[in-house]
């Protein structure tokens, strides 16, 4: 039998988990939109904004873009499906009363591993989305190998900002997982 205080702690903890899972699904949805925007902006044999045709991206860059976009989409879908499954378990399977949607009794180890799996899927989706965006930049602004200032600056900003954000996200997720 649980005491009244521990019951409230369980309710608020479960509510936090549901809120975190909602946020993860929403962010993954936004990134999924970015994947499709990236796909729609590129066409084969597109000329870059550089004056030199030698700086135009090859068909291999466009192929890599497509592969990275599909892999990125797959990771975001993987992450979202895990998060939705956990939400389903919390909200529907363990709740006897409609008014008690946040009072789930769920195995915390399973919940934590599911949330970590979902977080890993989001991180991997971000990595592949960043790689695809590098290819979009090269197709639009010219190949990195040409040394175009615009391309180098755009790729540098993208890699630094996304890597920094992923480092914070991973650190926070690992901290939450271990505590």
């Amino acid at each position: 039998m649980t005491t009244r205080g521990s019951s409230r702690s369980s309710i608020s903890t479960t509510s936090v988990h549901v809120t975190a899972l909602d946020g993860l699904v929403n962010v993954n949805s936004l990134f999924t939109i970015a994947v499709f925007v990236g796909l729609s902006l590129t066409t084969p044999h597109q000329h870059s904004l550089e004056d030199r045709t030698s700086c135009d991206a090859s068909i291999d860059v466009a192929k890599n873009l497509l592969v990275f976009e599909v892999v990125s989409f797959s990771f975001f879908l993987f992450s979202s499906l895990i998060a939705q499954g956990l939400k389903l378990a919390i909200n529907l399977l363990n709740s006897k009363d409609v008014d008690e949607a946040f009072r789930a009794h769920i195995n915390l180890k399973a919940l934590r591993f599911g949330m970590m799996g979902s977080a890993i899927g989001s991180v991997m989706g971000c990595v592949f989305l960043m790689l695809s965006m590098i290819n979009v930049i090269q197709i639009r602004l010219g190949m990195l190998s040409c040394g175009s200032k615009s391309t180098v600056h755009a790729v540098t900003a993208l890699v630094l900002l996304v890597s920094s954000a992923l480092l914070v996200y991973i650190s926070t997720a690992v901290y939450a997982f271990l505590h």
Side-chain angles (χ1 to χ4, degrees):
M1 184 170 192
T2 60
T3 63
R4 188 174 190 97
S6 68
S7 176
R8 283 189 181 165
S9 173
S10 173
I11 292 167
S12 65
T13 301
T14 306
S15 176
V16 167
H17 287 117
V18 170
T19 303
L21 292 168
D22 277 335
L24 192 59
V25 170
N26 291 337
V27 168
N28 284 347
S29 297
L30 291 174
F31 286 142
T32 301
I33 292 168
V35 167
F36 288 108
V37 168
L39 286 173
S40 69
L41 290 177
T42 54
T43 57
H45 308 294
Q46 184 174 357
H47 296 289
S48 70
L49 297 175
E50 276 293 308
D51 291 334
R52 300 173 287 172
T53 57
S54 62
C55 290
D56 289 347
S58 69
I59 193 71
D60 289 337
V61 175
K63 285 180 182 179
N64 284 339
L65 168 66
L66 182 61
V67 169
F68 291 150
E69 295 279 339
V70 169
V71 172
S72 176
F73 173 75
S74 300
F75 274 115
F76 288 131
L77 187 59
F78 168 84
S79 175
S80 293
L81 287 173
I82 290 175
Q84 289 289 62
L86 290 171
K87 282 177 51 183
L88 179 67
I90 291 169
N91 288 328
L92 298 178
L93 299 177
N94 292 324
S95 181
K96 303 294 184 219
D97 186 3
V98 176
D99 296 330
E100 296 181 346
F102 295 120
R103 293 184 193 189
H105 299 285
I106 190 167
N107 183 330
L108 285 179
K109 272 190 177 180
L111 179 63
R112 287 173 53 165
F113 278 107
M115 291 185 80
M116 186 56 72
S118 188
I120 290 169
S122 290
V123 167
M124 293 304 296
C126 287
V127 168
F128 281 98
L129 182 59
M130 180 178 65
L131 292 173
S132 70
M133 288 306 300
I134 290 171
N135 286 329
V136 169
I137 291 168
Q138 290 188 107
I139 290 170
R140 294 292 201 175
L141 296 178
M143 294 297 294
L144 277 168
S145 58
C146 284
S148 164
K149 278 188 172 183
S150 300
T151 304
V152 171
H153 289 153
V155 168
T156 301
L158 177 71
V159 170
L160 284 176
L161 292 172
V162 171
S163 298
S164 299
L166 284 175
L167 185 62
V168 170
Y169 181 78
I170 291 167
S171 300
T172 305
V174 168
Y175 178 80
F177 183 74
L178 295 175
H179 292 87

